[in-house]
Amino acid sequence: METVVSGIRPTGNLHLGNYFGAVKNFIKMQQEHNCYFFIADYHSLTTHPTPADLHGSVKQVLAEYLAAGLDPEKSTLFIQSDLPEVSELYLLLNMNAYVGELERTTSFKDKVRAQPDNVNAGLLTYPVLMAADIILHKASKVPVGKDQEQNLEMARKFARRFNHMYNQEYFPEPVPFNFGEQLIKIPGLDGSGKMGKSEGNGIFLYEEADSIRKKVMRAVTDSGPTAMNQEVSEPIQNLFAIMKQVSTPDTLLYFTEKYASCEIRYGDLKKQLAEDIVNFTAPIREKIIAIKSDEAYLSKVARMGAIKARESAQKTIKDVREIIGFKAF
Ligand code: TYM
């Protein structure tokens, strides 16, 4: 049995990218492994949420985790800020994380471009906190989407550096994991790039059917294939990529063949895709609504998760303090 850790920032509701890139694999992994899944509320502070927004989003994501199928009896579901141990490990790892390498990470460079007025130190050291989240439980596998690959590479680097520095084989080197398949990138419906919260192009698990239909019908397309077996343009590939996740193989095949023979009507494709997304999300949405109204259950899950997660975290911190050379007087 391996130890698995993964998290999601509570900056708005979960979208299809979060689900198919991460949560779906959390659900599969909880059957067989020792899993820690958390809500990365410390990480979300880089964008300065208001206190009310922060708490509301944490609650929403917790309800969404549960509604999507995470089982608090099988895995440890917790909130990052309930674990002060993670901030201690983050501090310790920061001493061996170099400003140059942090400045070179793609996500940092993207953020500098996206929010030039808020280039805070938390953004720079974001991968260090993420490494701390993972290695705090000595995890070896991390179910994430493709966009987190570089952060995982950094986590391995920091784990390796610690081991090397203290001449120990203490931390495993965590790898991103998708059951032997390529990591997934769910695209947006706006023509290019990934589906994301900051991209403003999300289709959410909690979204109402009509709103989903409108978004899908507005999706960017092209002027249609003009030659048999023509290469598929990016906006159309994106529609097919989402269809691959939510529709049946028969539906996917039907539209793939229509495309290849130049008989496709994008309106039909979108209508089918919208219905398949709605069929997929509607039962989850219902469950989110029910779970969110059960405050007592949510607090119980969060408290139970915090206790289990802290047990594992405290053990690691005790070992790490000893390895580093802190001694009690
Ligand atoms: P976040 O909150 O941006 O995304 C959460 C998870 O969803 C995946 N994801 C996607 N996968 C496929 N296609 C997409 N369009 C898409 N959008 C998001 C992400 O890959 C991720 O798995 N830094 C992390 C949160 C974090 C974390 C960790 C993850 C903090 N500590 C430790 C793993 C381990 C983040 O911002 O994810």
Side-chain angles (χ1 to χ4, degrees):
M1 189 151 74
E2 289 186 87
T3 299
V4 174
V5 167
S6 200
I8 296 188
R9 272 172 307 141
T11 47
N13 301 347
L14 297 189
H15 52 67
L16 295 180
N18 296 135
Y19 184 85
F20 291 108
V23 176
K24 187 176 169 199
N25 288 334
F26 297 0
I27 296 165
K28 280 204 262 175
M29 299 210 83
Q30 73 182 355
Q31 309 299 341
E32 296 166 19
H33 296 292
N34 178 26
C35 294
Y36 295 87
F37 298 125
F38 68 96
I39 298 171
D41 55 349
Y42 279 145
H43 274 111
S44 72
L45 296 185
T46 56
T47 53
H48 302 168
T50 66
D53 280 353
L54 181 62
H55 185 68
S57 299
V58 170
K59 213 168 96 180
Q60 175 76 20
V61 174
L62 183 57
E64 293 186 341
Y65 266 177
L66 294 162
L70 285 187
D71 181 346
E73 303 290 334
K74 289 193 182 132
S75 48
T76 302
L77 295 188
F78 67 100
I79 295 155
Q80 188 184 30
S81 64
D82 278 339
L83 241 68
E85 292 78 10
V86 79
S87 38
E88 179 165 354
L89 187 57
Y90 167 58
L91 179 150
L92 299 172
L93 293 178
N94 265 324
M95 304 304 166
N96 304 319
Y98 296 100
V99 173
E101 65 188 345
L102 295 170
E103 279 173 341
R104 278 194 300 277
T105 56
T106 318
S107 49
F108 178 69
K109 288 196 274 190
D110 288 348
K111 289 287 178 197
V112 171
R113 260 192 301 274
Q115 50 183 74
D117 299 332
N118 180 21
V119 184
N120 56 66
L123 275 180
L124 183 69
T125 56
Y126 188 106
V128 187
L129 180 55
M130 195 164 148
D133 290 326
I134 299 167
I135 68 177
L136 185 59
H137 305 285
K138 304 180 77 174
S140 52
K141 289 208 163 83
V142 188
V144 283
K146 177 115 187 100
D147 59 318
Q148 297 298 321
E149 220 164 20
Q150 193 177 29
N151 282 334
L152 258 292
E153 203 180 301
M154 304 284 280
R156 281 196 294 285
K157 195 187 272 184
F158 298 136
R160 197 158 48 233
R161 204 172 276 165
F162 180 95
N163 289 345
H164 186 73
M165 181 152 188
Y166 297 105
N167 207 11
Q168 304 261 343
E169 279 307 313
Y170 186 71
F171 288 120
E173 291 184 26
V175 292
F177 186 73
N178 182 24
F179 293 90
E181 296 192 8
Q182 295 267 351
L183 298 186
I184 286 185
K185 180 185 110 177
I186 299 294
L189 293 178
D190 41 2
S192 65
K194 68 163 183 167
M195 183 178 289
K197 287 162 206 155
S198 30
E199 285 73 5
N201 61 2
I203 294 185
F204 301 96
L205 299 179
Y206 189 60
E207 194 156 344
E208 285 183 27
D210 276 350
S211 166
I212 293 179
R213 290 191 186 105
K214 273 194 200 124
K215 283 185 184 171
V216 176
M217 294 318 284
R218 277 202 307 262
V220 174
T221 53
D222 58 19
S223 52
T226 49
M228 299 287 256
N229 300 317
Q230 178 183 325
E231 202 182 310
V232 187
S233 70
E234 192 179 353
I236 306 303
Q237 274 183 33
N238 291 349
L239 292 175
F240 277 116
I242 298 181
M243 187 167 249
K244 186 166 174 230
Q245 302 297 333
V246 295
S247 304
T248 63
D250 281 352
T251 303
L252 183 65
L253 184 66
Y254 173 83
F255 285 103
T256 309
E257 286 177 354
K258 286 278 178 206
Y259 185 93
S261 59
C262 301
E263 291 169 313
I264 194 159
R265 289 209 305 238
Y266 289 144
D268 294 346
L269 171 82
K270 286 178 172 181
K271 260 195 211 130
Q272 180 71 45
L273 180 61
E275 287 323 301
D276 290 342
I277 294 176
V278 168
N279 283 335
F280 175 76
T281 53
I284 303 181
R285 179 181 150 78
E286 301 259 298
K287 283 194 204 138
I288 297 171
I289 293 170
I291 293 173
K292 237 177 43 164
S293 67
D294 193 347
E295 296 265 350
Y297 176 60
L298 286 175
S299 340
K300 191 176 133 208
V301 169
R303 279 200 306 269
M304 192 171 92
I307 292 171
K308 283 205 275 176
R310 285 199 77 182
E311 230 169 76
S312 137
Q314 280 167 351
K315 185 175 175 312
T316 305
I317 289 295
K318 183 170 173 289
D319 292 345
V320 165
R321 287 180 143 262
E322 229 163 76
I323 291 170
I324 288 181
F326 290 128
K327 280 207 171 96
F329 280 91

